């Protein structure tokens, strides 16, 4: 009996905590759905009886969120695909081959993860300025510059995380494949790649979120080409003193949060397993 | 498992590594070198546009920083702010992880879904939502508290507190989920054995569960320190670039403002180097303390 009471109390606390944690998100969606008059009311109510999609329409059309949403998607997708390819190859090299400098490289990958990304904004700004002269699509004011920096920042962790998954594939499998006459690259893509898929999924979620959430580099690199801005910065640009269109801003925030949330829910089990795997190794 | 050494392994390995190495050297290695280099020069707007020659200052920028009261104030604020965020994140995360092991599945799922939502919210969106909730005139919080018109971002410490609360809100889920997975991974037999030996709940927690969880606790603590020490977006968005007259600056935002707003790239780079060194020291010191305690990582 006593135990049941204490469990009941624990459950009440859990639900209360969940409500507090979820409240800001509820308020975001609610505000996005409220008619404008209710949003600017000095007497905000935690419900609305006249939900409308006006704020979403305003955000997507007047404030061209659609364009920024697309830019963000392009950057994040490119980062995920490139990072998957590069980290898979690198992780394979680091786990399935013995060569000089291998340990040094692993240690470097760990150390590099500790360097605060934000401190590198200044030199990277100059790097991107020089890249602009050689390959404009990857320089300042272009989405390519964002793809490059996020690729660089997601690689060390991605390689580190994938190592465990690649190492878990037994060596006998590779020997068997070789005996069956499979070439190295055939083994790599038709045997190894599918086997480490759970690791690849967990890794891509993290790379995706990294690129999707970035505010600092979008702010620094995309200076004058407003049409190449990504969502996090666009959202910020619409915040103006005393004349905020909060409905549109909350609609934009909702549009920005949903892809990540969907991604999280779809892969949550694998993500936790991946995190646990990374912690263990 | 490593496949036995074959001829040409090194070459194949290098081919596999080459693309990643190219990106990492070009976009991490070289910029790290450049950061240190820039910090040694008087690097302003004229130097950037090529209109003026570079002046080598040696450690001049660093000397200037160390003699500047404002730098020390910002450094102190950064450490204090990060400490509050780390402590809050760990406390909330650990408490809710333990709570999650004590409730039935439906309550746990509710809690995890809410946490997943907070975790998934991008920093800019999260900051904006919190700003709106705490808005002086339109905010729901002031409406509930009956303090309409009160500005949560005006007073320096209230503003820091608000940002810290937002940071804890979006970072506790990682700690909670990881610790929950850790607690779940403890074999039931271990706890049964402790119970058979007559250990109390408190004793089981401190003598059995905590030591088993320590490796995970280390990881989440280090991660939290690293994240919270370099918070940028929340401070930048919620205090509008570092607060009134820069009262809410932390090192990262300070470096950014020096470089890109004041065009003092050399000084900004020096702050960046100091931040990096501090962070590496924190990590190294923490690891050493743990190793001295007989902990394997």
């Amino acid at each position: 009996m006593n135990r049941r009471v204490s469990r009941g109390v624990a459950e009440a606390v859990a639900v209360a905590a969940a409500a507090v944690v979820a409240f800001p998100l509820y308020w975001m969606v609610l505000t996005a759905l409220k008619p404008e008059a209710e949003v600017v009311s000095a007497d905000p109510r935690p419900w609305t009886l006249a939900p409308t999609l006006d704020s979403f329409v305003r955000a997507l059309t007047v404030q061209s969120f659609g364009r920024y949403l697309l830019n963000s998607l392009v950057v994040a997708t490119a980062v995920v695909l490139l990072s998957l390819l590069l980290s898979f190859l690198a992780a394979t090299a680091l786990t399935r081959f013995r060569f000089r400098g291998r340990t040094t490289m692993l240690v470097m990958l760990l150390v590099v993860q500790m360097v605060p990304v934000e401190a590198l904004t200044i030199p990277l700004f100059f790097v991107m300025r020089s890249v602009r002269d050689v390959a404009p699509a990857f320089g300042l004011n272009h989405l390519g510059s964002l793809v490059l920096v996020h690729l660089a920042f997601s690689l060390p962790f991605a390689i580190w995380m994938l190592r465990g998954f690649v190492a878990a594939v037994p060596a006998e499998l590779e020997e068997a494949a070789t005996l069956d006459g499979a070439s190295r690259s055939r083994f790599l893509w038709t045997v190894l790649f599918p086997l480490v898929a759970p690791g690849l999924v967990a890794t891509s979620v993290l790379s995706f979120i990294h690129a999707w959430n970035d505010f600092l580099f979008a702010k620094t690199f995309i200076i004058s080409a407003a049409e190449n801005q990504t969502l996090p910065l666009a959202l910020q640009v619409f915040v103006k003193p005393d004349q905020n269109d909060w409905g549109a801003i909350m609609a934009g925030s909702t549009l920005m949060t949903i892809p990540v949330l969907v991604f999280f829910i779809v892969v949550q089990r694998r993500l936790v397993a991946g995190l646990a795997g990374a912690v263990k190794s | 498992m490593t496949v036995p050494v074959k001829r040409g392994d090194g070459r194949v390995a290098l081919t596999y590594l080459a693309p990643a190495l190219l990106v990492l050297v070009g976009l991490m290695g070289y910029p790290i070198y450049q950061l240190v280099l820039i910090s040694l020069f008087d690097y302003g707007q004229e130097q950037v546009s090529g209109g003026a020659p570079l002046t080598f200052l040696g450690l001049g920028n660093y000397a200037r920083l160390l003699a500047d009261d404002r730098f020390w104030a910002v450094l102190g604020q950064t450490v204090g702010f990060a400490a509050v965020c780390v402590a809050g994140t760990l406390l909330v995360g650990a408490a809710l992880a333990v709570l999650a092991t004590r409730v039935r599945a439906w309550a746990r799922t509710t809690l995890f879904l809410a946490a997943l939502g907070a975790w998934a919210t991008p920093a800019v969106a999260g900051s904006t939502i919190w700003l709106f909730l705490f808005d002086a005139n339109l905010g729901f919080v002031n409406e509930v508290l009956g303090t309409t018109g009160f500005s949560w971002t005006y007073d320096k410490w209230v503003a820091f507190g608000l940002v810290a609360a937002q940071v804890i809100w979006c970072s506790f889920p990682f700690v909670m989920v990881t610790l929950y997975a850790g607690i779940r991974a403890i074999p039931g037999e271990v706890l049964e054995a402790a119970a058979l030996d007559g250990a109390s709940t408190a004793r089981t927690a401190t003598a059995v569960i905590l030591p088993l969880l320590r490796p995970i606790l280390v990881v989440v603590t280090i991660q939290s320190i690293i994240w919270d020490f370099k918070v940028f977006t929340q401070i930048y968005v919620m205090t509008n670039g570092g607060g009134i007259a820069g009262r809410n600056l932390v090192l990262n935002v300070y470096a950014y403002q020096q470089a890109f707003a004041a065009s003092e790239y050399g000084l900004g780079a020096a702050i960046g180097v100091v931040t990096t060194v501090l962070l590496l020291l924190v990590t190294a010191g923490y690891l050493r303390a743990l190793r001295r305690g007989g902990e394997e990582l």
Side-chain angles (χ1 to χ4, degrees):
Chain A
M1 189 63 205
N2 202 354
R3 209 164 151 188
R4 195 175 296 172
V5 170
S6 83
R7 192 175 67 186
V9 172
E11 278 166 357
V13 175
V15 171
V20 171
V21 171
F23 188 75
L25 293 174
Y26 169 72
W27 200 254
M28 166 183 84
V29 178
L30 176 74
T31 308
L33 292 173
K34 272 181 178 177
E36 207 170 351
E38 281 186 42
V39 175
V40 297
S41 148
D43 182 22
R45 294 185 189 291
W47 68 81
T48 178
L49 297 175
T52 157
L53 290 176
D54 283 356
S55 294
F56 285 94
V57 173
R58 249 188 353 269
L60 286 169
T61 53
V62 182
Q63 309 194 316
S64 53
F65 257 85
R67 171 78 204 221
Y68 303 121
L69 193 70
L70 192 68
N71 286 345
S72 273
L73 271 178
V74 167
V75 170
T77 312
V79 170
V80 165
L81 293 179
L82 286 170
S83 139
L84 272 188
L85 179 70
L86 267 54
S87 62
F88 172 62
L89 285 174
T92 307
L94 287 169
T95 36
R96 307 193 77 86
F97 296 105
R98 297 252 166 246
F99 55 92
R100 280 226 329 249
R102 181 174 153 274
T103 321
T104 320
M105 225 171 271
L106 284 173
V107 173
M108 290 304 290
L109 282 179
L110 207 59
V111 173
V112 153
Q113 286 181 53
M114 307 289 180
V115 176
V117 168
E118 293 78 3
L120 295 183
T121 323
I122 300 166
L124 278 169
F125 174 76
F126 292 123
V127 170
M128 289 311 167
R129 224 171 44 124
S130 1
V131 169
R132 185 178 54 184
D133 303 332
V134 192
F138 293 99
L140 290 183
N141 281 330
H142 289 277
L143 293 178
S145 63
L146 298 178
V147 173
L148 280 184
V149 281
H150 297 313
L151 180 61
F153 291 131
S154 57
L155 267 183
F157 186 69
I159 298 174
W160 196 257
M161 196 153 157
L162 271 183
R163 265 178 65 236
F165 289 92
V166 177
V169 176
E172 291 77 35
L173 218 58
E174 182 161 2
E175 280 156 21
T178 316
L179 282 179
D180 288 346
S183 69
R184 221 167 208 157
S185 61
R186 200 178 146 80
F187 167 78
L188 193 67
W189 297 112
T190 56
V191 182
L192 199 55
F193 194 76
L195 281 175
V196 297
L200 293 169
V201 171
T203 319
S204 28
V205 177
L206 294 169
S207 317
F208 177 86
I209 290 168
H210 193 110
W212 188 258
N213 291 357
D214 164 65
F215 169 69
L216 180 59
F217 288 101
K219 180 174 176 54
T220 315
F221 291 171
I222 313 293
I223 322 158
S224 51
E227 74 279 7
N228 281 340
Q229 210 44 272
T230 52
L231 265 187
L233 210 90
L235 203 60
Q236 181 58 10
V237 167
F238 297 131
V239 178
K240 296 179 194 97
D242 304 325
Q243 46 168 350
N244 287 341
D245 182 351
W246 281 113
I249 293 170
M250 290 300 126
S253 299
T254 309
L255 290 173
M256 190 176 166
T257 306
I258 285 173
V260 190
L261 197 58
V262 169
F263 221 152
F264 256 54
I265 290 173
V266 169
V267 300
Q268 53 152 329
R269 274 171 210 286
R270 281 181 173 169
L271 183 68
V272 172
L275 282 176
V279 169
K280 257 184 268 161
S281 66
Chain B
M1 278 294 111
T2 309
V3 174
V5 181
K6 278 179 239 151
R7 237 162 10 116
D9 264 6
R11 220 180 44 233
V12 180
L14 194 65
T15 334
Y16 288 1
L17 271 172
L21 277 183
L22 201 70
V23 173
L24 285 175
V25 170
L27 291 161
M28 296 230 38
Y30 180 68
I32 292 173
Y33 160 77
Q34 276 273 307
L35 180 73
V36 177
L37 203 65
I38 295 171
S39 78
L40 302 177
F41 284 91
D42 178 17
Y43 214 113
Q45 195 52 53
E46 293 89 46
Q47 284 80 11
V48 171
S49 54
L54 276 177
T55 325
F56 182 73
L57 293 179
L59 297 176
N61 281 323
Y62 295 93
R64 211 174 123 195
L65 273 186
L66 298 186
D68 186 2
D69 289 342
R70 187 185 179 98
F71 168 75
W72 291 106
V74 173
L75 177 63
Q77 271 163 219
T78 311
V79 173
F81 176 74
V84 169
C85 292
V86 170
T89 306
L90 289 178
L91 272 177
V92 175
L96 292 180
V98 172
L99 187 69
T101 62
R102 298 281 169 91
V103 297
R104 275 170 291 180
W106 66 267
R108 188 163 53 239
T109 309
T110 312
L111 183 59
F112 273 44
L113 274 178
L116 214 59
W119 195 359
T121 310
V124 172
S127 303
T128 318
I129 300 164
W130 277 65
L131 269 186
F132 183 51
L133 269 175
F134 284 81
D135 188 82
N137 298 310
L138 305 176
F140 185 65
V141 174
N142 275 344
E143 165 80 9
V144 169
L145 295 179
T147 50
T148 305
F150 177 75
S151 167
W152 293 81
T153 49
Y154 184 75
D155 179 78
K156 175 178 172 177
W157 300 112
V158 176
F160 261 133
L162 180 64
V163 180
Q166 203 280 341
V167 169
I168 294 169
W169 175 72
C170 63
S171 42
F172 89 84
F174 166 75
V175 174
M176 179 183 92
V177 171
T178 317
L179 281 183
Y180 175 77
I183 297 175
R184 270 297 139 101
I186 294 173
E189 301 90 65
V190 176
L191 300 180
E192 275 168 33
L196 282 178
D197 287 345
S200 65
T201 312
R203 180 129 175 82
T204 312
T206 52
V208 181
I209 299 181
L210 213 54
L212 285 171
L213 282 184
R214 193 162 293 160
I216 297 185
L217 276 171
V218 171
V219 173
V220 294
T221 310
I222 295 182
Q223 287 284 5
S224 301
I225 293 175
I226 293 175
W227 283 340
D228 295 346
F229 201 82
K230 39 179 222 183
V231 164
F232 181 91
T233 309
Q234 277 94 345
I235 291 273
Y236 199 93
V237 172
M238 295 181 75
T239 70
N240 197 10
I244 301 146
R247 286 188 308 204
N248 290 97
L249 286 176
V250 290
L251 280 180
N252 260 328
V253 185
Y254 189 40
Y256 187 88
Q257 300 289 31
Q258 286 298 329
F260 294 101
S263 284
E264 293 253 27
Y265 294 93
L267 201 63
I271 301 171
V273 172
V274 171
T275 316
T276 310
V277 170
L278 281 175
L279 216 51
L280 290 176
L281 280 179
V282 169
T283 318
Y286 197 77
L287 290 180
R288 223 178 56 174
L290 283 160
R291 202 156 295 150
R292 205 180 295 149
E295 223 28 79
E296 287 264 355
L297 265 181

